[in-house]
Amino acid sequence: MIRLHRLFAVLALCLSAPAAMAAGKTGTVLVIHGGAGVERSGMTPESEARARAALERALRKGHEALVAGKPALDAVTAAITVLEDDPEFNAGKGAVFNHDGKNELDASLMDGKTLAAGAVAGVHRVRNPILLARAVMEHSEHVMMVGDGAEAFAEEQGIELVDPSYFRTEKRWQQLQKALREEAAKKASTDLETAKHFGTVGALALDSKGYLAAGTSTGGMTNKRYGRVGDSPIIGAGTYANAHCAVSGTGWGEYYIRVSAAREICARMEYLHESAQQAGAAVINKEIPAMGGDGGAIVLGADGAVAMPFNTEGMFRGWIGADGVPHVAIYSDDALAMPPAASAR
């Protein structure tokens, strides 16, 4: 009986897959973000240039995997690893500090083909949390691991561990010091520069077989306390992928968790037949702000359509198609053409 249920589940996934997937004619697409909440006042021409270069490197790295015929999961993992290694972003090397002056890292990954998923939260020594999230998905019976247990599993799996000092950057340390001063003056919640619920990196991919994948990685929120965990490692909140769409979020995690933001976007596309643009805008620019939250997301449909809704001054973002030309942007008024859906090609 159990085997029959599993067979029916597999058949259902196959039958629900878009026509483009069945035909095997879908063009490859990779979409990334490096976090919403970007403000011009906090950027310099040099930091803008570094961020744009890093986004392009991540896009090219993920594109290499797609060109080689590798699955969407490989492209997502490759792109996020590049961003985790770059101190410009709030993930991996550039992670923010918590209230106690430590870095706590979270990540998650989901395979739209099988609905398999892996996630980690509150790790301190894992150089690339996205690689550990994938190990959880592929080499354990679990979906999420946290803290010391996750790091023990990382050691068993040969995932690279580093001394916590690896994650320290002066920029993030000074953000914490400013947040602590404002907290003492009871005004931390009013300053987006230091009450950071922004940051985070993410990637989505559509591979040559028409399958989707999504991943997200973050250092969380500056000055967070009590082992706080946001939406990034929570499947359905910060990350989701199925046969119809893939989503990675970046913003005020508490609100993304409450509305299951990533899953909500995919559900709107699947059941209401909304476009990536419509579904993303409904959740990111209407539902979450109505509750008091803000942020952004990237959305990728099985037809190759891309949306990048956000309601802040900027969001590091970009995409690359089958032609291998990277497209990146930072601010809301930056020109960024979107790839056409398969039906429009």
CSV table of all heavy atoms in Angstrom, one decimal, residues 13 16-18 21 72-73 109-117 137 205 210-214 240-246:
chain,number,residue,atom,x,y,z
A,13,LEU,N,3.1,14.3,-9.6
A,13,LEU,CA,4.1,15.3,-9.9
A,13,LEU,C,4.4,15.4,-11.4
A,13,LEU,O,4.5,16.4,-12.0
A,13,LEU,CB,5.4,14.9,-9.2
A,13,LEU,CG,5.5,15.4,-7.7
A,13,LEU,CD1,6.8,14.8,-7.1
A,13,LEU,CD2,5.5,16.8,-7.5
A,16,SER,N,1.5,17.0,-13.2
A,16,SER,CA,1.3,18.5,-12.9
A,16,SER,C,2.4,19.3,-13.5
A,16,SER,O,2.4,20.5,-13.5
A,16,SER,CB,1.3,18.7,-11.4
A,16,SER,OG,2.6,18.4,-10.8
A,17,ALA,N,3.5,18.7,-14.0
A,17,ALA,CA,4.6,19.4,-14.6
A,17,ALA,C,4.1,20.1,-15.8
A,17,ALA,O,3.3,19.7,-16.6
A,17,ALA,CB,5.7,18.4,-15.0
A,18,PRO,N,4.6,21.3,-16.1
A,18,PRO,CA,4.2,22.1,-17.2
A,18,PRO,C,4.5,21.5,-18.5
A,18,PRO,O,5.4,20.6,-18.6
A,18,PRO,CB,5.0,23.4,-17.0
A,18,PRO,CG,5.3,23.5,-15.6
A,18,PRO,CD,5.5,22.0,-15.2
A,21,MET,N,8.1,21.5,-19.7
A,21,MET,CA,8.9,20.5,-19.1
A,21,MET,C,8.8,19.2,-19.9
A,21,MET,O,9.8,18.5,-20.2
A,21,MET,CB,8.6,20.2,-17.7
A,21,MET,CG,9.4,19.2,-17.0
A,21,MET,SD,8.8,18.8,-15.3
A,21,MET,CE,9.0,20.4,-14.5
A,72,ALA,N,19.1,22.0,-11.9
A,72,ALA,CA,18.9,23.3,-11.4
A,72,ALA,C,19.5,23.4,-10.0
A,72,ALA,O,20.0,24.5,-9.6
A,72,ALA,CB,17.3,23.6,-11.3
A,73,LEU,N,19.4,22.4,-9.2
A,73,LEU,CA,20.0,22.4,-7.9
A,73,LEU,C,21.5,22.8,-7.9
A,73,LEU,O,22.0,23.5,-7.0
A,73,LEU,CB,19.9,21.0,-7.2
A,73,LEU,CG,18.6,20.7,-6.4
A,73,LEU,CD1,18.6,19.3,-6.0
A,73,LEU,CD2,18.4,21.7,-5.3
A,109,LEU,N,17.4,25.0,0.9
A,109,LEU,CA,17.4,24.6,-0.5
A,109,LEU,C,16.3,23.7,-0.8
A,109,LEU,O,15.9,22.8,0.0
A,109,LEU,CB,18.8,23.8,-0.8
A,109,LEU,CG,19.1,23.4,-2.2
A,109,LEU,CD1,19.5,24.7,-3.0
A,109,LEU,CD2,20.3,22.5,-2.2
A,110,MET,N,15.6,23.8,-2.0
A,110,MET,CA,14.5,23.0,-2.3
A,110,MET,C,14.6,22.6,-3.8
A,110,MET,O,14.8,23.4,-4.7
A,110,MET,CB,13.2,23.6,-2.0
A,110,MET,CG,12.0,22.7,-2.2
A,110,MET,SD,10.5,23.4,-1.4
A,110,MET,CE,9.4,22.0,-1.6
A,111,ASP,N,14.3,21.3,-4.1
A,111,ASP,CA,14.3,20.8,-5.4
A,111,ASP,C,12.8,20.7,-5.9
A,111,ASP,O,12.0,20.0,-5.4
A,111,ASP,CB,14.8,19.4,-5.4
A,111,ASP,CG,15.0,18.7,-6.8
A,111,ASP,OD1,14.5,19.3,-7.8
A,111,ASP,OD2,15.5,17.6,-6.9
A,112,GLY,N,12.5,21.5,-6.9
A,112,GLY,CA,11.1,21.5,-7.4
A,112,GLY,C,10.7,20.3,-8.1
A,112,GLY,O,9.5,20.0,-8.2
A,113,LYS,N,11.7,19.5,-8.6
A,113,LYS,CA,11.3,18.2,-9.2
A,113,LYS,C,10.7,17.2,-8.3
A,113,LYS,O,9.8,16.5,-8.6
A,113,LYS,CB,12.6,17.7,-9.9
A,113,LYS,CG,12.4,16.3,-10.6
A,113,LYS,CD,13.7,15.8,-11.2
A,113,LYS,CE,13.6,14.5,-11.8
A,113,LYS,NZ,14.9,14.0,-12.4
A,114,THR,N,11.3,17.1,-7.1
A,114,THR,CA,11.0,16.0,-6.1
A,114,THR,C,10.3,16.6,-4.9
A,114,THR,O,9.8,15.8,-4.1
A,114,THR,CB,12.2,15.2,-5.8
A,114,THR,OG1,13.1,16.1,-5.1
A,114,THR,CG2,12.9,14.6,-7.0
A,115,LEU,N,10.4,17.9,-4.6
A,115,LEU,CA,10.0,18.5,-3.4
A,115,LEU,C,10.9,18.2,-2.2
A,115,LEU,O,10.5,18.4,-1.1
A,115,LEU,CB,8.5,18.2,-3.1
A,115,LEU,CG,7.5,18.6,-4.1
A,115,LEU,CD1,6.1,18.4,-3.6
A,115,LEU,CD2,7.6,20.1,-4.5
A,116,ALA,N,12.0,17.6,-2.5
A,116,ALA,CA,13.0,17.4,-1.5
A,116,ALA,C,13.6,18.7,-1.0
A,116,ALA,O,13.7,19.7,-1.8
A,116,ALA,CB,14.1,16.5,-2.0
A,117,ALA,N,13.9,18.8,0.3
A,117,ALA,CA,14.4,20.1,0.8
A,117,ALA,C,15.4,19.8,2.0
A,117,ALA,O,15.3,18.8,2.6
A,117,ALA,CB,13.2,20.9,1.3
A,137,MET,N,19.6,17.6,2.9
A,137,MET,CA,18.6,17.2,1.9
A,137,MET,C,18.9,15.8,1.3
A,137,MET,O,18.1,14.9,1.2
A,137,MET,CB,18.4,18.2,0.8
A,137,MET,CG,17.3,17.8,-0.2
A,137,MET,SD,17.2,19.0,-1.6
A,137,MET,CE,18.7,18.6,-2.5
A,205,ALA,N,16.7,28.5,-10.3
A,205,ALA,CA,17.2,28.1,-11.6
A,205,ALA,C,16.1,27.2,-12.3
A,205,ALA,O,15.4,26.5,-11.6
A,205,ALA,CB,18.5,27.3,-11.5
A,210,GLY,N,13.7,21.5,-17.8
A,210,GLY,CA,12.4,22.2,-17.3
A,210,GLY,C,12.2,22.1,-15.8
A,210,GLY,O,11.1,22.4,-15.4
A,211,TYR,N,13.2,21.6,-15.1
A,211,TYR,CA,13.0,21.5,-13.6
A,211,TYR,C,13.5,22.8,-12.9
A,211,TYR,O,14.4,23.4,-13.3
A,211,TYR,CB,13.7,20.3,-13.1
A,211,TYR,CG,13.1,19.0,-13.6
A,211,TYR,CD1,13.9,18.1,-14.4
A,211,TYR,CD2,11.8,18.6,-13.3
A,211,TYR,CE1,13.4,16.9,-14.8
A,211,TYR,CE2,11.3,17.4,-13.8
A,211,TYR,CZ,12.1,16.6,-14.6
A,211,TYR,OH,11.6,15.4,-15.1
A,212,LEU,N,12.9,23.1,-11.8
A,212,LEU,CA,13.2,24.2,-11.0
A,212,LEU,C,13.8,23.9,-9.6
A,212,LEU,O,13.6,22.8,-9.1
A,212,LEU,CB,11.9,25.0,-10.7
A,212,LEU,CG,11.2,25.7,-11.9
A,212,LEU,CD1,9.7,25.9,-11.6
A,212,LEU,CD2,11.8,27.0,-12.3
A,213,ALA,N,14.5,24.9,-9.1
A,213,ALA,CA,15.1,24.7,-7.8
A,213,ALA,C,15.2,26.1,-7.2
A,213,ALA,O,15.3,27.1,-7.9
A,213,ALA,CB,16.5,24.0,-7.8
A,214,ALA,N,15.3,26.2,-5.8
A,214,ALA,CA,15.4,27.5,-5.1
A,214,ALA,C,16.3,27.3,-3.9
A,214,ALA,O,16.3,26.2,-3.3
A,214,ALA,CB,14.0,28.0,-4.7
A,240,TYR,N,11.0,28.2,-1.6
A,240,TYR,CA,10.0,27.2,-2.1
A,240,TYR,C,10.2,26.9,-3.6
A,240,TYR,O,10.5,27.9,-4.3
A,240,TYR,CB,8.6,27.6,-1.8
A,240,TYR,CG,7.6,26.4,-2.0
A,240,TYR,CD1,7.5,25.5,-1.0
A,240,TYR,CD2,6.9,26.2,-3.1
A,240,TYR,CE1,6.7,24.4,-1.1
A,240,TYR,CE2,6.1,25.1,-3.3
A,240,TYR,CZ,6.0,24.2,-2.3
A,240,TYR,OH,5.2,23.1,-2.4
A,241,ALA,N,10.1,25.7,-4.0
A,241,ALA,CA,10.1,25.3,-5.4
A,241,ALA,C,9.2,24.1,-5.6
A,241,ALA,O,9.2,23.2,-4.8
A,241,ALA,CB,11.5,25.1,-5.9
A,242,ASN,N,8.5,24.1,-6.7
A,242,ASN,CA,7.8,22.9,-7.2
A,242,ASN,C,7.8,22.9,-8.7
A,242,ASN,O,8.7,23.5,-9.3
A,242,ASN,CB,6.3,22.9,-6.6
A,242,ASN,CG,5.5,24.1,-7.0
A,242,ASN,OD1,5.8,24.8,-8.0
A,242,ASN,ND2,4.4,24.3,-6.3
A,243,ALA,N,6.9,22.2,-9.3
A,243,ALA,CA,6.9,22.1,-10.8
A,243,ALA,C,6.4,23.3,-11.5
A,243,ALA,O,6.7,23.5,-12.7
A,243,ALA,CB,6.0,20.9,-11.2
A,244,HIS,N,5.8,24.3,-10.7
A,244,HIS,CA,5.3,25.5,-11.3
A,244,HIS,C,6.1,26.7,-11.1
A,244,HIS,O,6.1,27.6,-12.0
A,244,HIS,CB,3.9,25.7,-10.8
A,244,HIS,CG,2.9,24.6,-11.0
A,244,HIS,ND1,2.1,24.5,-12.2
A,244,HIS,CD2,2.6,23.5,-10.3
A,244,HIS,CE1,1.4,23.4,-12.1
A,244,HIS,NE2,1.7,22.8,-11.0
A,245,CYS,N,6.8,26.8,-10.0
A,245,CYS,CA,7.5,28.0,-9.7
A,245,CYS,C,8.6,27.8,-8.7
A,245,CYS,O,8.6,26.8,-8.0
A,245,CYS,CB,6.6,29.2,-9.3
A,245,CYS,SG,6.3,29.3,-7.5
A,246,ALA,N,9.5,28.8,-8.5
A,246,ALA,CA,10.5,28.8,-7.5
A,246,ALA,C,10.6,30.2,-6.9
A,246,ALA,O,10.5,31.2,-7.7
A,246,ALA,CB,11.8,28.4,-8.1
